[in-house]
């Protein structure tokens, strides 16, 4: 109802009203008091005049009874003067009371008359001696004294009586005046009192009203304050809530900044921070600890074969096992399929080896994801503080190099860092740099490894295998530089060169009247996707007038399954151009047989790993037999790779795989060695056998 502004207005108004009222009432009171004072003063004067008149009257009466008339006359004159003086003082207050002056004048004139009479000789000292006027009057009446004397006394008596009468009139007037004055003063006092009472009452009322308003306003203000307090409390609670949310968001952010969202274990950032702290703590004591860098083997194939959601589940499962084996705070996922471990208190290789072995053992149990049973292995590398490095970055880099070495040595193993590994990495970098010049410097060479029909003892075709003849290092294996070429993208250019060289070589041999059958050319993953093969290959065939039958393309299962739909599209186009397609290293990658069935494949090459232990390893034997059986069912040609012994060849021949490629028959040969070979019995007797070779797929 009221706000503080209204309250202030009301208070100001009330104070102004009280002040104004007080001033007005004060003025009125002052006026009243001034009148009152005047009345009191007038009353004093009239009282004084009254008293003087009263004395005068007394002295007048005493004239009648005194025996010393002379003295009394003197007293009377004094009283008259006194009265006259006092009446004169009173005169200004009398106003227009004419009667008073009349009475006074009569009194004064009577007094004068009496004075004159008293000066009469009859009232000489002698005569007047010891006799009052009344006595003389009585005596005179009784003794019938001298009549003049008697008349004089009687006159005097009459005059005195007359004077007394007027003195009484005047006394009455003065008394009335006094009485009126008193009542008027009382009236003034009463009015003043009433006024004061009114003022007090009104002030009191105003104060009550003001107090009421103030209390209401205070109440209202209190309510407002309470409301504000409540609002403040709500706002405070909201603020606290928001703060909590912010804190939790910060915690979440902090968590997501330091933890991997997929596996819920620490991420690289967290790991590196922890590692840096650990190094800080161990700096002074130089107490050793180890860092493991782990990379899953062939994870890309899992992703490509089963899809990314299964791939994610595999990573989660690996993280769970890692956590169980080591503990959450000592492990991390670095992204992709890379993980890392810190092994504190690792005094020697053995201490840390125990840890990684425990994890590898746990990982060896197949992962059951949905209906899939997935086998996974990993490669790991360790580096030690302070032996191998003094900072986190270097420790990790060295552990990574060791892991890389483990990969290079066949995967599913672990390695400890050595300085030579850094040397190898350095070499690899150097290799990468010189590979860029290899093509323009004519340092690449194709070797040709014959594929033989064991039943006829005859070469039916060749696989082109690249070598890099580095002027400083010598002959470098494709296993070493093809991955680098893949990573750097140089493979596209190199791949085209290989295809062209194969076509050129084929046509050269053919022009020499030789029949080398076909040349199989290896195609890399990047080449299949980015090499524009469906155009490049037909163009080359056309350019060299090379029969498409004479060129075969080899692709691994993994390469195809990297991008199945796209691969199928390109392979179909290549197949439609008349080219033959072979699956290389069959059995080592993840592939869907159902999918393979839909591809325009002509040949499978059984991987060397299945051949290695033939004929003694029963399992490998069974696998090989199955593959042969499968090829027959799907009407695919079949080649066995890596035949190194006669027994292996016999087993394969016996099981229905007569085509072989291996050191037992021929190592990869220089192009210059081939014409002589084709001229040998391995080249076949001209005629029927060359025809056979010309139609290797029929
Ligand atoms: P791949 O295509 O499976 O080639 C067969 C590899 O097995 C060749 O190794 C060959 O020399 C080797 N080999 C053949 N018979 C035997 C044997 O009896 N015992 C042993 N131990 N090895 C045998 P190479 O030439 O070192 O090639 C290795 C891999 O490098 C090839 O495997 C292929 O994947 C790749 N490669 C080779 N040349 C090329 C190429 O021109 N282009 C592409 N993209 N990759 C190539
Ligand atoms: Mg091959
Ligand atoms: Mg192979």
């Amino acid at each position: 109802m009221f706000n503080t502004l209204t309250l202030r207005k009301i208070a100001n108004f009330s104070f102004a009203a009280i002040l104004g009222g007080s001033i007005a009432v004060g003025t009125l009171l002052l006026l009243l008091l001034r009148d009152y004072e005047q009345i009191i003063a007038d009353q004093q004067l009239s009282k004084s005049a009254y008293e003087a008149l009263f004395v005068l009257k007394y002295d007048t009466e005493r004239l009648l009874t005194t025996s010393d008339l002379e003295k009394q006359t003197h007293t009377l004159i004094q009283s008259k003067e006194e009265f006259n003086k006092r009446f004169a003082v009173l005169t200004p207050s009398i106003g227009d009371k004419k009667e008073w002056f009349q009475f006074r004048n009569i009194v004064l004139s009577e007094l004068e008359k009496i004075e004159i009479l008293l000066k009469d000789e009859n009232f000489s000292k002698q005569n007047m001696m010891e006799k009052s006027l009344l006595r003389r009057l009585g005596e005179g009446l009784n003794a019938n004294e001298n009549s003049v004397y008697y008349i004089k006394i009687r006159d005097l008596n009459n005059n005195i009586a007359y004077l007394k009468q007027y003195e009484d009139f005047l006394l009455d007037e003065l008394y009335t005046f006094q009485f009126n004055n008193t009542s008027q003063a009382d009236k003034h006092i009463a009015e003043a009192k009433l006024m004061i009472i009114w003022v007090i009452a009104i002030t009191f009322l105003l104060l009550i009203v003001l107090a009421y308003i103030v209390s209401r306003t205070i109440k209202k203000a209190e309510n407002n304050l309470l409301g504000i307090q409540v609002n403040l409390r709500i706002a405070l609670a909201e603020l606290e809530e928001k703060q909590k949310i912010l804190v939790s968001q910060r915690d979440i952010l902090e968590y997501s900044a330091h933890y991997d969202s997929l596996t819920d274990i620490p991420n690289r950032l967290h790991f590196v921070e922890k590692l840096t702290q650990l190094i800080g703590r161990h700096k002074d004591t130089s107490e050793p600890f180890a860092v493991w860098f782990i990379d899953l083997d062939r994870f890309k194939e899992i992703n490509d074969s089963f899809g990314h959601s299964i791939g994610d589940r595999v990573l989660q499962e690996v993280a769970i096992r890692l956590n169980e084996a080591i503990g959450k705070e000592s492990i991390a996922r670095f992204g992709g399929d890379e993980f890392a471990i810190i092994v504190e208190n690792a005094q020697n290789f053995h201490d840390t080896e125990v840890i990684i072995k425990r994890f590898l053992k746990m990982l060896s149990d197949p992962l059951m994801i949905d209906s899939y049973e997935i086998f996974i292995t990993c490669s790991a590398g360790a580096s030690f503080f302070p032996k191998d490095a003094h900072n986190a970055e270097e420790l990790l880099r060295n552990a990574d190099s060791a892991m890389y070495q483990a990969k290079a040595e066949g995967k599913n193993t672990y390695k400890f860092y050595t300085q030579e590994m850094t040397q190898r990495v350095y070499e690899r970098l150097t290799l990468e740099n010189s590979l860029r010049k290899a093509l323009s410097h004519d340092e690449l060479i194709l070797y040709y490894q014959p594929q033989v029909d064991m039943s006829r003892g005859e070469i039916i075709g060749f696989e082109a295998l690249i070598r890099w003849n580095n002027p400083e290092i010598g002959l470098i294996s494709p296993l070493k530089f093809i991955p680098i070429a893949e990573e750097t993208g140089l493979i596209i250019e190199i791949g085209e060169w290989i295809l062209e060289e194969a076509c050129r070589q084929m046509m050269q041999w053919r022009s020499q009247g030789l029949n080398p059958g076909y040349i199989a050319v290896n195609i890399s993953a990047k080449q299949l996707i980015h090499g524009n093969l469906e155009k490049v290959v037909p163009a080359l065939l056309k350019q060299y007038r090379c029969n498409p039958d004479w060129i075969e393309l080899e692709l691994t299962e993994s390469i195809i399954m990297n991008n199945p739909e796209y691969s199928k599209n390109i392979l179909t186009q290549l197949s439609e151009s008349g080219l033959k397609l072979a699956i290389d290293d069959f059995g080592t990658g993840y592939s869907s047989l159902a999918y393979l069935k839909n591809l325009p494949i002509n040949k499978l090459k059984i991987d060397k790993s299945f051949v290695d232990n033939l004929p003694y390893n029963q399992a490998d034997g069974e696998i090989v037999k199955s593959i042969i059986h499968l090829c027959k069912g799907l009407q695919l040609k079949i080649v066995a790779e890596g035949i190194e012994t006669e027994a292996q060849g016999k087993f394969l021949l016996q099981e229905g795989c007569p085509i072989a490629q291996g050191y037992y028959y021929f190592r990869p040969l220089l192009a210059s060695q081939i014409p002589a070979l084709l001229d040998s019995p391995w080249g076949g007797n001209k005629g029927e056998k060359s025809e056979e070779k010309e139609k290797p797929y029929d």
Side-chain angles (χ1 to χ4, degrees):
M1 181 180 160
F2 299 109
N3 55 31
T4 45
L5 197 68
T6 323
L7 177 70
R8 209 177 302 151
K9 276 184 190 167
I10 289 168
N12 287 345
F13 173 77
S14 303
F15 285 124
I18 289 170
L19 195 69
S22 304
I23 291 169
V25 168
T27 314
L28 274 174
L29 273 172
L30 273 177
L31 289 173
L32 268 175
L33 282 174
R34 209 185 62 183
D35 283 0
Y36 179 74
E37 266 176 28
Q38 187 58 47
I39 288 162
I40 295 295
D42 287 352
Q43 199 178 11
Q44 289 295 328
L45 291 176
S46 67
K47 193 183 169 196
S48 167
Y50 181 88
E51 280 169 2
L53 186 59
F54 194 80
V55 170
L56 187 64
K57 191 194 162 198
Y58 174 75
D59 287 339
T60 308
E61 273 180 346
R62 283 279 291 154
L63 280 176
L64 295 171
T65 55
T66 185
S67 54
D68 191 350
L69 197 58
E70 195 181 354
K71 192 182 167 190
Q72 185 58 33
T73 305
H74 184 70
T75 307
L76 183 70
I77 289 164
Q78 276 183 341
S79 298
K80 183 198 86 180
E81 280 167 3
E82 186 61 30
F83 164 70
N84 212 14
K85 202 167 77 189
R86 291 195 190 179
F87 196 88
V89 178
L90 181 66
T91 307
S93 312
I94 296 169
D96 57 351
K97 290 189 184 336
K98 285 176 192 161
E99 279 184 332
W100 284 35
F101 293 103
Q102 216 179 331
F103 293 156
R104 187 202 61 174
N105 291 341
I106 291 168
V107 167
L108 288 177
S109 70
E110 281 307 308
L111 274 169
E112 266 174 39
K113 278 181 198 168
I114 289 167
E115 266 180 69
I116 293 164
L117 277 173
L118 283 172
K119 278 176 188 161
D120 193 283
E121 59 186 5
N122 287 305
F123 299 112
S124 67
K125 239 176 188 178
Q126 202 176 351
N127 288 333
M128 297 299 278
M129 286 281 284
E130 295 171 11
K131 281 186 185 169
S132 70
L133 277 174
L134 282 177
R135 198 170 143 207
R136 282 177 206 187
L137 184 63
E139 278 177 1
L141 288 171
N142 296 329
N144 201 13
E145 266 192 45
N146 184 337
S147 63
V148 177
Y149 177 69
Y150 172 71
I151 290 166
K152 291 272 180 196
I153 289 180
R154 203 183 53 199
D155 285 349
L156 197 59
N157 242 317
N158 287 341
N159 280 345
I160 288 169
Y162 190 69
L163 175 63
K164 271 173 65 187
Q165 194 184 344
Y166 277 92
E167 278 175 345
D168 279 342
F169 286 162
L170 202 54
L171 273 173
D172 281 350
E173 286 298 327
L174 279 171
Y175 179 79
T176 312
F177 181 72
Q178 258 191 74
F179 180 79
N180 286 344
N181 264 5
T182 306
S183 60
Q184 212 178 340
D186 287 349
K187 198 179 149 202
H188 271 72
I189 292 292
E191 278 175 359
K193 276 183 185 167
L194 197 69
M195 200 174 285
I196 288 167
I197 287 167
W198 268 109
V199 166
I200 290 171
I202 289 168
T203 310
F204 191 65
L205 205 72
L206 267 173
L207 285 174
I208 286 175
V209 170
L210 195 65
Y212 171 75
I213 293 168
V214 167
S215 89
R216 284 298 301 267
T217 312
I218 287 172
K219 187 103 190 140
K220 174 89 178 164
E222 262 177 18
N223 287 343
N224 283 348
L225 271 176
L226 272 176
I228 290 169
Q229 213 175 353
V230 169
N231 286 344
L232 268 175
R233 241 180 251 141
I234 292 169
L236 208 67
E238 278 174 5
L239 258 178
E240 273 173 12
E241 197 54 39
K242 276 184 188 155
Q243 201 182 358
K244 268 185 207 160
I245 292 169
L246 273 177
V247 167
S248 74
Q249 278 176 345
R250 190 200 59 198
D251 289 348
I252 291 168
L253 274 178
E254 180 102 330
Y255 192 84
S256 56
H258 287 87
Y259 284 80
D260 175 47
S261 57
L262 179 70
T263 58
D264 201 30
I265 63 171
N267 62 14
R268 184 187 193 108
L269 180 70
H270 190 76
F271 190 87
V272 171
E273 277 175 10
K274 187 173 171 175
L275 196 55
T276 311
Q277 284 169 10
L278 201 64
I279 290 169
R281 289 207 298 277
H282 286 233
K283 217 166 211 164
D284 296 335
T285 58
S286 282
E287 204 177 318
F289 67 88
V291 171
W292 280 102
F293 199 95
I294 299 168
D295 190 284
L296 302 184
D297 298 329
R298 301 179 193 281
F299 179 69
K300 191 168 168 19
E301 289 168 18
I302 294 176
N303 251 345
D304 295 338
S305 314
F306 297 101
H308 285 266
S309 66
I310 298 283
D312 284 352
R313 302 265 298 279
V314 167
L315 290 172
Q316 285 168 339
E317 192 55 41
V318 170
I320 289 169
R321 292 187 184 188
L322 204 54
N323 189 8
E324 278 170 20
I326 290 119
K328 196 170 180 175
E329 283 313 306
S330 296
I331 60 174
R333 179 178 169 227
F334 271 34
D337 59 348
E338 292 172 349
F339 294 84
I341 306 172
I342 293 175
V343 183
E344 289 187 54
N345 306 318
Q347 297 292 338
N348 49 43
F349 287 163
H350 176 73
D351 292 342
T352 180
E353 208 169 16
V354 172
I355 305 279
I356 202 71
K357 272 185 175 167
R358 192 191 309 157
F359 172 62
L360 290 178
K361 188 171 181 317
M362 285 177 96
L363 202 62
S364 65
D365 288 339
L367 311 177
M368 287 306 300
I369 294 169
D370 290 345
S371 55
Y372 302 107
E373 188 181 35
I374 298 172
F375 289 87
I376 189 129
T377 59
C378 72
S379 304
S383 71
F384 280 84
F385 173 88
K387 180 176 79 66
D388 298 330
H390 287 91
N391 63 53
E393 196 191 333
E394 235 179 287
L395 266 175
L396 282 165
R397 200 174 48 231
N398 292 344
D400 187 25
S401 300
M403 184 279 292
Y404 193 82
Q405 188 57 33
K407 287 253 186 229
E409 290 187 19
K411 304 187 174 85
N412 193 19
T413 185
Y414 57 86
K415 287 279 156 200
F416 293 106
Y417 171 77
T418 58
Q419 273 191 343
E420 295 79 69
M421 289 175 187
T422 304
Q423 183 61 30
R424 245 170 268 154
V425 171
Y426 173 76
E427 278 171 11
R428 191 187 132 93
L429 276 172
T430 321
L431 217 58
E432 189 182 314
N433 281 337
S434 28
L435 183 61
R436 295 180 191 279
K437 296 172 227 152
L439 250 182
S440 53
H441 290 197
D442 285 336
E443 290 169 12
L444 300 177
I445 321 155
L446 283 188
Y447 274 60
Y448 299 90
Q449 186 176 27
Q451 292 179 355
V452 299
D453 183 334
M454 294 183 285
S455 59
R456 295 185 190 161
E458 188 180 333
I459 294 170
I460 60 159
F462 295 86
E463 179 176 6
L465 296 162
I466 195 165
R467 304 286 181 263
W468 175 15
N469 192 8
N470 185 289
E472 282 158 30
I473 306 168
L475 222 51
I476 303 171
S477 157
L479 291 172
K480 224 174 181 181
F481 72 87
I482 290 290
I484 300 173
E486 276 263 330
E487 280 170 33
T488 54
L490 281 169
I491 193 68
I492 305 290
E493 218 183 322
I494 293 175
E496 275 184 32
W497 177 84
I498 295 166
L499 280 164
E500 183 171 358
E501 182 58 16
C503 291
R504 191 198 60 75
Q505 190 59 68
M506 171 58 78
M507 295 321 290
Q508 189 187 330
W509 285 332
R510 297 257 168 200
S511 66
Q512 290 170 6
L514 299 168
N515 184 2
Y518 55 90
I519 296 177
V521 177
N522 291 286
I523 301 294
S524 78
K526 211 168 239 172
Q527 212 182 344
L528 178 66
I529 304 300
H530 304 289
N532 210 9
L533 289 179
E534 70 280 13
K535 290 196 179 117
V536 169
V537 180
L540 285 172
L541 293 174
K542 196 173 170 195
Q543 183 187 340
Y544 287 93
R545 297 182 180 195
C546 181
N547 188 331
D549 270 349
W550 300 338
I551 299 294
E552 182 179 287
L553 302 182
E554 285 189 15
L555 303 111
T556 63
E557 298 158 277
S558 318
I559 289 173
I560 296 170
M561 296 311 286
N562 265 349
N563 206 330
E565 282 310 309
Y566 190 74
S567 303
K568 185 180 173 184
N569 180 28
I570 298 201
L571 295 182
T572 308
Q573 290 186 54
L574 289 169
S575 172
E576 281 166 1
S577 306
L579 286 147
K580 298 290 178 286
L581 304 171
I583 301 282
D584 203 356
D585 305 340
F586 185 76
T588 56
Y590 286 91
S591 65
S592 153
L593 288 176
Y595 202 86
L596 276 183
K597 190 185 77 182
N598 293 321
L599 292 174
I601 301 296
N602 308 93
K603 185 189 272 183
L604 291 189
K605 293 184 80 178
I606 303 173
D607 190 65
K608 176 177 178 300
S609 57
F610 301 113
V611 176
D612 278 346
N613 297 318
L614 293 180
Y616 313 106
N617 187 305
Q618 207 190 337
D620 285 346
E622 289 306 318
I623 291 170
V624 169
K625 281 194 235 171
S626 305
I627 297 173
I628 295 167
H629 190 70
L630 179 81
C631 286
K632 284 193 173 149
L634 293 173
Q635 294 185 316
L636 296 173
K637 293 270 178 187
I638 186 160
V639 177
E641 289 186 280
I643 286 83
E644 292 182 341
T645 64
E646 190 182 0
Q648 288 167 345
K650 271 189 180 163
F651 178 89
L652 288 159
L653 193 59
Q654 195 181 315
E655 294 304 329
C657 173
I659 315 296
Q661 177 183 344
Y663 291 176
Y664 177 70
Y665 294 104
F666 298 100
R667 285 180 177 260
L669 303 167
L670 282 166
S672 55
Q673 297 175 289
I674 305 299
L677 188 63
L678 290 176
D679 269 341
S680 76
W682 279 108
N685 297 320
K686 290 172 187 89
E688 39 165 348
K689 278 175 191 161
S690 0
E691 241 173 65
E692 185 86 26
K693 279 190 280 185
E694 272 174 12
K695 294 182 179 174
Y697 292 98
D698 293 340

